[in-house]
Amino acid sequence: MSTFTNVFSQTFWPRAQAQSQPRQAPRPRSPPPPRLSRHSTPGVENSAWASRDFMLGAGMIIIQRNTHKVVVIYDSLHKYWFFPRGRKDVGESLEQTALREAYEESGYRAEFLPLYNPTRQPLAPHEREENNILNVEPIFMTLTSWQPRTRRNRGVRDDGGEYLTTWYVGEIPEDAVPEIGTGMPDEQSYRSYLFPFDEALQKVYGTELRVLRYAWDVYLDTARLYEEAQRLEDQPEHSGPNFCLEWSPRINCFPNSYRCYVRGV
């Protein structure tokens, strides 16, 4: 083989073969995590977790609207304050978990509080024409991790995982009294207390501070919305249909309804 042929076969022929084959498209890179609003910590990278690597739970901020106080639980055994929350049972919805944990840990039979909550969840098609502005969708989500460990009694290795807690806002009436002994055997040291927002803010810590601040902001926004709607309705020039907002610290015109319709505003 001549020198020219040898150089051509080693240099140009492999390059021509490579160029003739279709190139594989580069894999798209994951976008950087979003910064999110001032109420949240920065977002996380796109992730995918198997069922053995995560847990789902739910918690609740319970507000007594007549007094504008918040329920905070104290664990006298471990000496710390917290809001009711816990893991979801198999077959249980997150909403059921939130109500159950609120009752077990606080002793109060709370109900969901409809709020002017700026949720990202879309309205159902049949509700899009009804001016539905209040909802009881989750108001916050927290993510915590548990570390790898070995279970002593079974010798099973736990690789750790992620714990996602979905938070709701609930309410109790003015005459509500907490029941005693509603929790699990290891929760009998829990006691519930009602505090103004500023005092509740001094009790809890960590991510629950963010949950409380945001829940309270949305609660106040809802109260302001109601007061403005009432003011507009009381004006003499207001000639539209009767206004009904199913939320009020003083008036519960539809106490069993969790939806709000605004008419004539």
Side-chain angles (χ1 to χ4, degrees):
M1 180 182 294
S2 67
T3 302
F4 174 81
T5 304
N6 187 30
V7 171
F8 179 84
S9 62
Q10 292 181 8
T11 305
F12 297 100
W13 180 246
R15 185 183 304 172
Q17 278 188 321
Q19 292 177 350
S20 65
Q21 296 178 359
R23 293 184 178 181
Q24 184 177 5
R27 295 181 180 180
R29 294 182 178 181
S30 298
R35 294 183 61 182
L36 304 182
S37 71
R38 63 182 178 84
H39 305 285
S40 305
T41 58
V44 298
E45 295 182 356
N46 294 346
S47 305
W49 302 326
S51 59
R52 64 181 296 163
D53 296 322
F54 70 87
M55 287 192 301
L56 299 178
M60 181 172 281
I61 304 296
I62 306 174
I63 297 175
Q64 190 176 54
R65 286 193 285 165
N66 300 79
T67 62
H68 304 294
K69 292 183 178 181
V70 181
V71 174
V72 190
I73 303 170
Y74 182 66
D75 183 352
S76 59
L77 182 62
H78 298 97
K79 311 298 183 184
Y80 75 102
W81 299 86
F82 64 97
F83 298 122
R85 74 279 193 272
R87 294 176 293 179
K88 183 182 87 69
D89 290 342
V90 172
E92 187 178 44
S93 70
L94 289 172
E95 289 79 6
Q96 291 171 330
T97 302
L99 292 173
R100 175 180 57 79
E101 290 291 344
Y103 174 66
E104 289 180 355
E105 295 189 349
S106 76
Y108 285 109
R109 294 186 181 273
E111 296 182 352
F112 291 114
L113 175 59
L115 294 172
Y116 182 52
N117 176 20
T119 179
R120 293 287 187 172
Q121 307 308 131
L123 290 172
H126 66 279
E127 292 184 336
R128 291 174 183 170
E129 303 298 327
E130 296 179 337
N131 293 326
N132 191 341
I133 63 168
L134 297 191
N135 63 77
V136 293
E137 290 295 313
I139 202 164
F140 220 92
M141 178 173 286
T142 54
L143 173 64
T144 54
S145 303
W146 75 88
Q147 299 302 311
R149 61 194 177 196
T150 301
R151 300 180 183 177
R152 296 178 180 177
N153 56 340
R154 299 180 185 176
V156 178
R157 174 69 175 178
D158 184 341
D159 295 325
E162 303 288 356
Y163 185 16
L164 294 94
T165 304
T166 302
W167 291 89
Y168 297 84
V169 177
E171 64 172 325
I172 54 173
E174 184 179 15
D175 59 351
V177 177
E179 300 178 30
I180 304 299
T182 56
M184 304 295 286
D186 60 347
E187 299 172 344
Q188 296 306 306
S189 58
Y190 296 176
R191 292 294 181 269
S192 296
Y193 298 87
L194 283 163
F195 291 108
F197 167 73
D198 291 339
E199 292 186 34
L201 204 61
Q202 300 300 318
K203 302 294 184 183
V204 297
Y205 65 97
T207 56
E208 292 192 1
L209 282 171
R210 288 184 178 272
V211 179
L212 175 59
R213 288 193 184 103
Y214 186 69
W216 194 252
D217 283 349
V218 175
Y219 173 73
L220 293 182
D221 286 344
T222 306
R224 284 190 288 265
L225 176 69
Y226 176 82
E227 292 174 358
E228 176 64 16
Q230 287 288 73
R231 184 187 65 81
L232 291 174
E233 185 175 295
D234 293 340
Q235 292 179 357
E237 62 271 17
H238 180 80
S239 58
N242 290 333
F243 168 81
C244 177
L245 178 61
E246 299 169 19
W247 194 95
S248 168
R250 300 174 298 278
I251 303 172
N252 290 312
C253 52
F254 293 95
N256 296 322
S257 177
Y258 295 141
R259 295 193 300 173
C260 166
Y261 301 103
V262 176
R263 304 185 181 94
V265 176

